Amino acid sequence: MSRGSAVTASNRPAPHSAGLYRAAMFDAGAWLARCLPLAFTRALAATVGWLYTVTHPGKVAIIERNLRLLDATLGETKARRVYPAFAKTMADYFYIGTRPPEEAVKIIRQIDGVEHLQAAQQLGKGALVVTAHFGLFELGGLLLAQHGFPAAVLTYPEPSRALTEWRAAFRRQWNVDTLEIGTDSFAFLAIAERLRQGQFVATLIDRPHPTDHTSVSLPNGTALFSAGIFLLAAHGGVPIIPATMVRREDGGYHAQVFAPFVIEERASRAETLRFYSQRIMDTFLPVLCASPEQWYQFVPLSP
Amino acid sequence: MPEITLDNVRKLLVDNCMLRVSPEEIQADTLLFGPESLGLDSIDALQLTVGIEKSYGIAIKDPAIAREAFHSVKTLQQWLSNQPTPPPSA
C-alpha cells in the first residue's frame, strides 16, 4: 500500500479511447443494439475492434505486456484479439441494456456457485462481490438483481458526467445502484451504509486506486490492485465473494461465483491487503489464463 | 461524552494511521488530509473511523460530517467531545 504514491489518476494513461468512450457513443451503441440483431452487432463490433487494433499498435503493446504477466508465452497474437473481444463484449453490453431484464439475463447460459450468494445473504451483513475487468462484468449486476439480491456497483467517475449518468441509468433499469467513489477519502462511508442495509456491493479489483493500491504476484510479474475496501469488509465481518462472467465459445456467458470468505486482520493492514488481494488473484488466475483475450486491461498494470 | 483531549486524538491518529511522525510532533492545527497535512489517505480515514467507533462507540455514517470533523486535529477533538455518550450497547 502506498501513501502519496506516484501513481495517480492523472499520470496514468486513460483506460479507454477518449473519442469512443463518451455518452454519445454509448447512445449510438444502444441505438444499434435496438435496431440490429445481436449476431450482426457482434460482427460489426469485432470489425471495429480489429480496425482499432491495427491502427493502435502502441495500445496493443500495453495489452501484450499485461497479458505476459499471466503467461510469458502470451504474445502479440493473443494481444491482438483483445480489442475485437472487447468490442463484442460492448455489443453484448448494449444488447442486455436494451432488452427487458428477464430476457437479457438469458444470455447467461451457465451459472456456478449461486448458492454462495444465498449463503452470504443469510448472514445479513451484505457482501462485497469482487470481480475483474474481465468478460462482461456488468452482467453480474443483472444476475444479482434477477436473483433477488439488492445490489450496488462501485465505480470511479467516468471521463464525463454525462457518461457517469448514462451508465448509472443503465444499471438502474435493472434495480442496480451505482456508487461513485472517486478520490473522496470518505466514500467508504456510503459503501458501509449499503452493506449495513444488507446490499451486495460489486467492485472491480484489478486497477489501482489513485492513492491506495496493493501489489499482487502474477506468474510472470506483479500488478497493482485496489484493495482498501477489504479493510471495510474486515471491520464489519462482511463476506467477500469473488466472481467472474466470461463469454463462452457459443456466445453465451458463464457466471462463476466462488466460495465467500471473511477477512481476518493480519499482522499489519498492509499485510492484510496483500494477503487477501493475492487470494483473490489466485482465485481468478485460472479463469483469466483460460480466456486472456477477455481481460480488458488497457493501461499498464505493472508498477 | 467525557472530554476527549488533544492527546487522545494524537494517540488515535498514531494507533490507526500509518504515520511517520511521533504524537508530540502533531500540532492542534495540523490538517489531516491534503497538502501540508499529515497526509492521511482513504485507508487512514477508514481505519480512523473504525478506531473511533471501537474507542468511543461513535459511528460516523455521513461523509459530509466526516469531512468537516476530520479537517484538523483540533476539529476532530472538538467534534468528538461534542458527541453524546452512546448507549452501552453501541
Side-chain angles (χ1 to χ4, degrees):
Chain A
M1 203 183 69
S2 69
R3 174 191 297 278
S5 161
V7 180
T8 67
S10 60
N11 68 9
R12 290 178 67 85
H16 302 282
S17 163
L20 296 173
Y21 200 63
R22 51 199 171 97
M25 294 304 292
F26 277 59
D27 277 335
W31 181 80
L32 285 171
R34 279 190 201 95
C35 299
L36 299 170
L38 179 59
F40 186 87
T41 57
R42 274 182 177 162
L44 180 64
T47 305
V48 172
W50 176 80
L51 284 170
Y52 195 85
T53 299
V54 297
T55 54
H56 293 77
K59 290 180 182 272
V60 175
I62 291 172
I63 292 170
E64 185 180 344
R65 283 198 295 277
N66 289 337
L67 291 185
R68 285 186 190 279
L69 294 171
L70 298 177
D71 180 346
T73 66
L74 291 175
E76 190 186 351
T77 305
K78 210 59 157 176
R80 291 169 72 90
R81 293 180 186 168
V82 171
Y83 276 116
F86 178 66
K88 283 199 279 189
T89 295
M90 290 305 295
D92 293 345
Y93 171 77
F94 293 122
Y95 170 83
I96 61 174
T98 51
R99 301 296 185 280
E102 58 277 8
E103 184 186 334
V105 78
K106 290 178 186 166
I107 201 169
I108 305 173
R109 307 265 168 77
Q110 183 181 352
I111 305 174
D112 293 328
V114 75
E115 69 276 11
H116 296 314
L117 299 171
Q118 290 155 348
Q121 192 177 37
Q122 283 169 4
L123 291 176
K125 295 180 174 182
L128 202 56
V129 181
V130 177
T131 189
H133 289 84
F134 185 53
L136 185 45
F137 50 86
E138 286 276 4
L139 192 48
L142 176 61
L143 174 71
L144 288 172
Q146 286 292 296
H147 279 77
F149 302 107
V153 170
L154 296 188
T155 69
Y156 291 152
E158 303 292 355
S160 71
R161 194 71 233 157
L163 185 55
T164 300
E165 286 168 6
W166 197 102
R167 298 195 67 174
F170 188 93
R171 296 182 189 109
R172 207 157 38 237
Q173 66 181 331
W174 303 333
N175 290 323
V176 174
D177 290 338
T178 299
L179 288 177
E180 190 181 321
I181 46 178
T183 53
D184 178 5
S185 293
F186 299 100
F188 69 90
L189 291 172
I191 304 168
E193 184 58 26
R194 297 303 180 106
L195 293 170
R196 264 194 294 271
Q197 293 168 3
Q199 287 198 4
F200 282 53
V201 176
T203 185
L204 293 158
I205 190 178
D206 58 339
R207 190 162 290 160
H209 181 274
T211 61
D212 133 46
H213 39 258
T214 298
S215 181
V216 296
S217 296
L218 293 165
N220 199 35
T222 59
L224 297 176
F225 276 15
S226 293
I229 195 169
F230 288 172
L231 295 177
L232 182 65
H235 173 56
V238 173
I240 307 283
I241 309 176
T244 55
M245 185 71 74
V246 184
R247 187 173 51 246
R248 311 190 312 180
E249 288 291 325
D250 65 2
Y253 281 83
H254 177 197
Q256 270 187 286
V257 183
F258 298 89
F261 59 87
V262 174
I263 288 180
E264 294 172 7
E265 293 190 43
R266 297 174 70 82
S268 67
R269 73 186 201 192
E271 171 57 19
T272 303
L273 296 179
R274 196 161 33 240
F275 179 85
Y276 287 103
S277 299
Q278 191 64 54
R279 179 168 175 171
I280 293 279
M281 188 67 238
D282 293 345
T283 302
F284 288 159
L285 192 59
V287 193
L288 290 173
C289 289
S291 304
E293 74 285 352
Q294 292 186 55
W295 197 25
Y296 303 133
Q297 288 292 358
F298 306 127
V299 296
L301 284 179
S302 288
Chain B
M1 173 68 64
E3 189 187 354
I4 294 170
T5 66
L6 283 171
D7 282 342
N8 295 143
V9 174
R10 291 187 181 105
K11 185 171 186 319
L12 262 177
L13 288 164
V14 171
D15 287 350
N16 292 285
C17 306
M18 296 173 73
L19 299 179
R20 297 192 184 100
V21 296
S22 63
E24 299 75 34
E25 292 177 77
I26 303 173
Q27 304 300 312
D29 58 356
T30 303
L31 303 179
L32 302 190
F33 296 89
E36 298 182 21
S37 71
L38 282 178
L40 302 192
D41 60 20
S42 57
I43 303 292
D44 294 313
L46 194 163
Q47 293 285 90
L48 197 52
T49 305
V50 171
I52 287 169
E53 189 167 355
K54 282 182 180 168
S55 300
Y56 302 111
I58 300 169
I60 304 169
K61 297 182 178 178
D62 185 336
I65 289 173
R67 273 190 288 276
E68 206 168 297
F70 286 44
H71 177 68
S72 70
V73 177
K74 182 69 178 172
T75 59
L76 182 55
Q77 182 253 331
Q78 289 173 336
W79 185 81
L80 288 171
S81 296
N82 289 336
Q83 298 310 299
T85 302
S89 59

